[in-house]
């Protein structure tokens, strides 16, 4: 069976839309295979625009891992902008892949990677454009298996009605295991149809199939229990953890975008996981344990990735890149290797207390200084203890002064508003900190030509964190604090004019809170928002708070709950949470104790450098922390700019 491309029909529409280049495909690093020569076919989607989705590391890794299999085909699809959506509906053009412009419905699997919950409405647009029924129960053997992954998949309950399956945790081995199951099922003649395939996936205990679980509710709206409704389906589904990242040096051939994207660099994940224990940070909690890539693998990946792609920036990625046990040697080795070239290094996530003068000098060695962002998260020492962000004011001032004296003229400081126990005074301390940063920078450099930008995000309690029980502040409270903060920053005009101020108001955060901690009843709200025109909710210019409020008011009372019930209500210890049957490895009793510790402002150490404090991950997942130092240096040491490279 061959599958016809939709390109001839699509091409006629492209002159009529903005940024048509994003739909064309053919990028360096892209893969096109013959349909007939492959057995298992994946469409991989990052449910946002091309410019946001293409650089996504997770999708690029899975795309390459799958396409390395001779009988597997993987192509990419992204959310289309509303202008093209309207034309596709008018002319009957279905959701397509950018690689070969094949219709998404023709694939065996549609894998969606959700980094944020605000992409849920874009998923519904893609399903609808593809001709795939929105509800999983309405799909037939002619439809792909719709499978979710990414951080938001650790609570897929709000979109359970729309999903056939979800995978928790690392995807490299998981997609190969799913592929093997699909391959075997197809080779046997697809016995039992779609239902049998989903049952085989569920029995692995690492693929969650929502339809095989029933949810019972108590009269007050809380969940009573979540139980399997089929024999052989596990009570709990476990996350996947890829160990020994040196065995998975992807992406080897990064996709080089045709259109402008949010990140244009070769990104190397230098380690995965984090045990700093910031209580708000879902990424740090669900990706444990820490697994480092060795310095030699990092060096080899950078060499091959730059040679293939021609990028001029290398991003050393992780949740806290400067915590790598050999970060100094990695940076100095790469700086020496690429001295005299146009290649620059960046650490997109740098802890205040891990940045030092050596790192600053290596990152700016070739004269190009990429942006520096530090995240104290909380303005006052007290609130930083509550959230376990162990950064002192002295650390922050010293770090920023180090950057200023090494030639940086601008740094970005990231904070959150709406944290548990937060008061107006905690937020006003951000202004005082920013003033101190500018004063210290001016004193150290003798120059007034320095700036800092204060960026504020709204706190959203996330599943599998100690704050999963916390209540959210209302948008009114957050917006009032943001207004007071702006006044405080500008109260000293001399200092205030050197401080930029960016913030997200409280409304999108509240909706993200609904979606992050919701259960299956929230699916009706998502569908209503989508039917009322909701698209690209992660973009402020497309997001409509009123649309979400109205949809919640229309749908939730049927179940005896409302928007506040999901967002501003604090949960108690014994409440069954919507994701309790999804095992991230973290012990729920440990999370609850850490939540209690936060209320007493107790700081938890990092178990990388201290004895285990029994969060549960290593024994329950049969894993362990993998860190250096290896004692090796970056090889080969021949500088690229010497004429030999």
């Amino acid at each position: 069976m061959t599958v016809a491309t939709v390109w001839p029909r699509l091409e006629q529409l492209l002159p009529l839309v903005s940024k048509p280049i994003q739909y064309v495909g053919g990028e360096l690093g892209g893969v096109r295979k013959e349909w007939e020569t492959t057995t298992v076919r994946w469409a991989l989607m990052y449910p946002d625009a091309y410019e946001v989705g293409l650089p996504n590391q997770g999708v690029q890794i899975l795309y390459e891992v799958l396409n390395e299999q001779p009988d597997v085909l993987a192509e990419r699809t992204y959310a289309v902008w509303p202008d093209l959506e309207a034309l596709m509906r008018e002319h009957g053009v279905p959701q397509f892949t950018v690689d070969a412009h094949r219709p998404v419905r023709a694939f065996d699997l549609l894998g969606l990677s959700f980094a944020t919950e605000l992409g849920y409405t874009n998923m519904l647009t893609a399903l609808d454009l593809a001709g795939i029924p929105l509800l999983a129960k309405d799909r037939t053997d002619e439809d792909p298996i719709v499978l979710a992954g990414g951080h938001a998949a650790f609570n897929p309950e709000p979109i359970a009605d729309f999903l056939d399956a979800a995978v928790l945790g690392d995807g490299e081995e998981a997609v190969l295991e799913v592929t093997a199951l699909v391959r075997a099922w197809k080779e046997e003649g697809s016995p039992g149809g779609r239902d049998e395939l989903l049952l085989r996936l569920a029995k692995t205990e690492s693929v969650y199939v929502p339809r095989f679980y029933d949810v019972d509710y108590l009269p007050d709206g809380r969940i009573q229990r979540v139980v399997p409704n089929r024999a052989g389906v596990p009570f709990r589904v476990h996350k996947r953890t890829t160990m020994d990242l040196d065995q998975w040096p992807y992406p080897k051939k990064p996709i080089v975008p045709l259109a402008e994207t949010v990140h244009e660099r070769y990104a190397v994940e230098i380690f995965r996981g984090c045990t700093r224990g910031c209580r708000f940070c879902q990424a740090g909690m669900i990706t444990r344990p820490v697994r480092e890539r060795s310095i030699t693998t990092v060096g080899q990946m950078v060499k091959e990735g730059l040679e293939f792609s021609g990028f001029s920036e290398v991003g050393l990625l992780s949740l806290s890149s400067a915590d790598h046990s050999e970060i100094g040697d990695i940076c100095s080795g790469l700086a020496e290797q690429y001295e005299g070239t146009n290649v620059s290094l960046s650490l997109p996530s740098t802890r205040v207390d891990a940045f030092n003068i050596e790192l600053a000098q290596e990152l700016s060695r070739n004269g190009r200084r990429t942006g520096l962002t530090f995240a104290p998260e909380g303005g006052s020492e007290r609130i930083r203890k509550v959230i376990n962000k162990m950064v002192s004011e002295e650390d922050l001032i010293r770090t920023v002064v180090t950057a200023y004296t090494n030639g940086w003229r601008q740094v970005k400081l990231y904070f959150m508003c709406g944290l548990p126990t937060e008061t107006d005074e905690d937020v006003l301390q951000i202004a005082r900190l920013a003033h101190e940063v500018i004063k210290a920078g001016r004193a150290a450099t003798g120059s007034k030509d320095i700036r800092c930008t204060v960026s504020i995000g709204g706190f959203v309690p996330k599943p599998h964190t100690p704050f999963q029980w916390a209540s959210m502040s209302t948008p009114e409270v957050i917006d009032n604090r943001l207004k007071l903060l702006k006044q405080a920053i500008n109260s000293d005009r001399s200092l205030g004019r050197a401080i930029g101020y960016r913030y997200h108001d409280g409304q999108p955060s509240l909706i993200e809170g609904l979606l992050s901690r919701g259960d299956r009843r929230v699916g009706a709200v998502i569908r209503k928002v989508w039917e009322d025109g909701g698209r690209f909710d992660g973009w402020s210019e497309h997001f409509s708070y009123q649309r979400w409020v109205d949809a919640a008011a229309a749908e939730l009372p049927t179940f005896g709950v409302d928007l506040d019930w999901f967002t501003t209500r604090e949960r108690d210890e014994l409440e069954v949470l919507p994701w309790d049957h999804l095992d991230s490895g973290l012990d729920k009793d440990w999370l609850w104790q850490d939540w209690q510790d936060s209320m007493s402002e107790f700081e938890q150490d990092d178990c990388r450098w201290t004895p285990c404090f029994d969060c549960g991950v290593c024994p329950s997942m049969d894993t362990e922390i993998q860190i250096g130092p290896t004692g090796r240096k970056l090889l080969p040491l021949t500088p690229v700019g010497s004429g030999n490279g």
Side-chain angles (χ1 to χ4, degrees):
M1 179 192 81
T2 187
V3 172
T5 176
V6 305
W7 176 250
R9 288 183 287 156
L10 174 67
E11 188 179 17
Q12 297 171 26
L13 307 181
L14 296 185
L16 308 175
V17 302
S18 63
K19 300 183 183 175
I21 188 75
Q22 65 189 309
Y23 307 117
V24 169
E27 304 98 336
L28 180 66
V31 177
R32 286 180 65 164
K33 290 187 177 182
E34 293 301 318
W35 188 267
E36 299 80 5
T37 62
T38 56
T39 309
V40 181
R41 303 162 184 120
W42 285 77
L44 298 176
M45 180 176 197
Y46 189 85
D48 207 324
Y50 176 97
E51 62 200 82
V52 177
L54 182 133
N56 180 262
Q57 192 82 343
V59 171
Q60 290 215 22
I61 289 169
L62 300 185
Y63 179 75
E64 201 168 314
V65 166
L66 288 166
N67 277 318
E68 282 187 349
Q69 305 295 306
D71 68 334
V72 178
L73 174 154
E75 297 187 9
R76 298 161 293 129
T77 186
Y78 304 104
V80 299
W81 283 110
D83 58 355
L84 183 57
E85 180 193 341
L87 287 166
M88 288 167 67
R89 292 187 185 283
E90 184 185 334
H91 295 271
V93 177
Q95 181 79 23
F96 56 88
T97 60
V98 296
D99 294 293
H101 301 96
R102 290 170 171 139
V104 164
R105 188 168 185 246
F107 289 76
D108 298 307
L109 300 114
L110 170 58
L112 295 120
S113 179
F114 288 105
T116 166
E117 298 84 359
L118 290 171
Y120 291 161
T121 48
N122 285 353
M123 171 186 67
L124 297 187
T125 304
L127 292 174
D128 192 50
L129 284 171
I132 300 168
L134 295 186
L135 297 176
K137 65 183 176 62
D138 295 335
R139 292 178 195 141
T140 69
D141 291 355
E142 302 304 308
D143 295 302
I145 298 295
V146 178
L147 181 90
H151 289 181
F154 276 81
N155 176 26
E157 291 301 277
I159 51 173
D161 290 345
F162 314 121
L163 293 179
D164 294 302
V167 173
L168 279 62
D170 297 331
E172 290 94 338
E173 292 162 301
V175 291
L176 294 178
E177 185 175 307
V178 169
T179 298
L181 280 164
V182 174
R183 181 192 290 119
W185 172 77
K186 288 182 77 172
E187 286 171 350
E188 291 167 29
S190 308
R194 183 181 199 86
D195 207 59
E196 168 66 20
L197 176 57
L198 289 171
L199 195 57
R200 292 185 186 189
L201 290 169
K203 285 180 176 178
T204 64
E205 300 191 6
S206 64
V207 179
Y208 175 52
V209 180
R211 74 167 66 174
F212 294 150
Y213 295 80
D214 291 333
V215 183
D216 299 326
Y217 300 94
L218 295 165
D220 64 1
R222 290 176 301 148
I223 294 171
Q224 183 175 14
R225 60 182 191 158
V226 180
V227 287
N229 56 30
R230 287 284 187 100
V233 173
F235 274 85
R236 300 195 81 198
V237 178
H238 309 294
K239 80 167 181 180
R240 298 295 303 250
T241 305
T242 298
M243 302 302 290
D244 193 2
L245 295 186
D246 284 352
Q247 298 300 310
W248 300 89
Y250 297 93
K252 301 171 186 171
K253 297 179 177 177
I255 300 166
V256 181
L258 292 176
E260 187 177 353
T261 57
V262 289
H263 299 301
E264 298 194 1
R265 63 189 178 202
Y266 178 57
V268 178
E269 187 182 21
I270 59 174
F271 71 86
R272 196 172 290 178
C274 182
T275 43
R276 286 283 191 165
C278 302
R279 294 177 172 122
F280 57 83
C281 182
Q282 184 190 46
M285 293 288 170
I286 63 177
T287 58
R288 295 178 177 203
V290 171
R291 292 146 284 151
E292 287 188 356
R293 273 207 169 98
S294 69
I295 182 171
T296 44
T297 299
V298 170
Q300 194 65 24
M301 287 178 69
V302 170
K303 178 179 182 293
E304 292 174 6
L306 289 180
E307 285 174 359
F308 177 82
S309 66
F311 283 127
S312 59
E313 182 183 334
V314 176
L316 303 177
L317 303 192
S318 77
L319 292 171
S320 181
S321 298
D323 281 341
H324 192 289
S325 63
E326 296 182 297
I327 189 62
D329 286 340
I330 288 173
C331 286
S332 61
L334 290 174
E336 284 171 22
Q337 186 111 353
Y338 295 98
E339 191 161 16
T341 72
N342 67 342
V343 173
S344 63
L345 293 179
S346 66
L347 295 185
S349 54
T350 315
R351 276 187 65 98
V352 167
D353 50 355
F355 185 82
N356 55 46
I357 194 156
E358 289 82 16
L359 265 185
Q361 288 170 344
E362 299 301 356
L363 291 174
S364 61
R365 192 193 291 203
N366 69 359
R368 289 178 61 200
R369 293 178 181 83
T370 54
L372 279 182
T373 299
F374 300 106
E377 311 287 359
S380 69
E381 198 90 20
R382 187 197 74 79
I383 202 77
R384 290 196 292 275
K385 287 181 177 175
V386 169
I387 64 177
N388 207 48
K389 189 81 178 186
M390 294 179 283
V391 171
S392 68
E393 188 169 327
E394 293 73 32
D395 284 336
L396 177 64
I397 302 291
R398 187 195 71 247
T399 296
V400 177
V401 165
T402 297
Y404 287 145
T405 51
N406 278 274
W408 273 272
R409 287 292 166 260
Q410 168 110 19
V411 297
K412 185 174 171 185
L413 304 177
Y414 181 80
F415 299 89
M416 278 192 282
C417 186
L419 291 161
T421 78
E422 180 184 276
T423 64
D424 291 357
E425 184 53 35
D426 291 316
V427 175
L428 290 173
Q429 288 291 315
I430 296 171
R432 190 187 58 75
L433 257 183
H435 287 164
E436 293 299 323
V437 160
I438 295 296
K439 284 195 281 192
R442 286 176 176 176
T445 61
S447 167
K448 288 204 167 187
D449 179 31
I450 55 166
R451 290 183 56 77
C452 80
T453 298
V454 169
S455 185
I456 314 281
F459 164 69
V460 178
K462 295 283 186 174
H464 308 283
T465 70
F467 286 163
Q468 64 184 2
W469 291 276
S471 62
M472 292 186 74
S473 299
T474 65
E476 293 75 22
V477 166
I478 287 181
D479 292 350
N480 184 56
R481 286 181 182 154
L482 293 174
K483 190 173 86 175
L484 293 174
L485 175 58
K486 185 174 186 179
Q487 291 170 354
I489 287 173
N490 293 328
S491 62
D492 183 316
R493 290 188 61 191
S494 166
L495 297 169
R497 68 165 61 103
I499 300 170
Y501 182 50
R502 289 188 189 159
Y503 62 88
H504 296 284
D505 60 40
Q507 294 180 346
S509 299
L510 194 80
I511 301 308
E512 197 180 329
L514 167 73
L515 298 176
S516 73
R517 289 192 300 175
D519 54 42
R520 293 186 182 188
R521 296 170 291 190
V522 173
V525 179
I526 297 168
R527 182 167 184 171
K528 175 89 171 108
V529 166
W530 176 77
E531 288 171 346
D532 290 343
R535 307 285 190 276
F536 291 94
D537 285 292
W539 296 66
S540 56
E541 60 265 42
H542 293 278
F543 175 81
S544 165
Y545 179 64
Q546 198 57 50
R547 186 159 46 210
W548 283 94
V549 169
D550 292 346
E555 300 294 336
L556 294 179
T558 314
F559 307 109
V561 292
D562 59 17
L563 181 57
D564 288 343
W565 193 88
F566 283 107
T567 54
T568 58
R569 175 180 68 93
E570 186 172 314
R571 282 68 165 157
D572 64 34
E573 182 178 8
L574 299 179
E575 179 167 343
V576 176
L577 302 173
W579 51 88
D580 277 351
H581 58 298
L582 304 174
D583 184 11
S584 63
L586 294 157
D587 182 74
K588 192 177 179 185
D589 291 338
W590 177 81
L591 287 170
W592 175 263
Q593 186 55 54
D594 206 40
W595 167 229
Q596 302 311 298
D597 286 345
S598 76
M599 296 300 102
S600 56
E601 299 167 21
F602 173 79
E603 294 179 306
Q604 177 69 268
D605 287 329
D606 184 338
C607 66
R608 254 173 300 194
W609 326 116
T610 59
C612 169
F613 46 69
D614 210 18
C615 75
V617 167
C618 291
S620 71
M621 296 284 142
D622 192 25
T623 56
E624 60 182 359
I625 290 175
Q626 294 181 336
I627 60 171
T630 62
R632 287 173 286 186
K633 296 294 181 190
L634 204 60
L635 295 170
L637 291 175
T638 309
V640 172
S642 68
N644 300 324

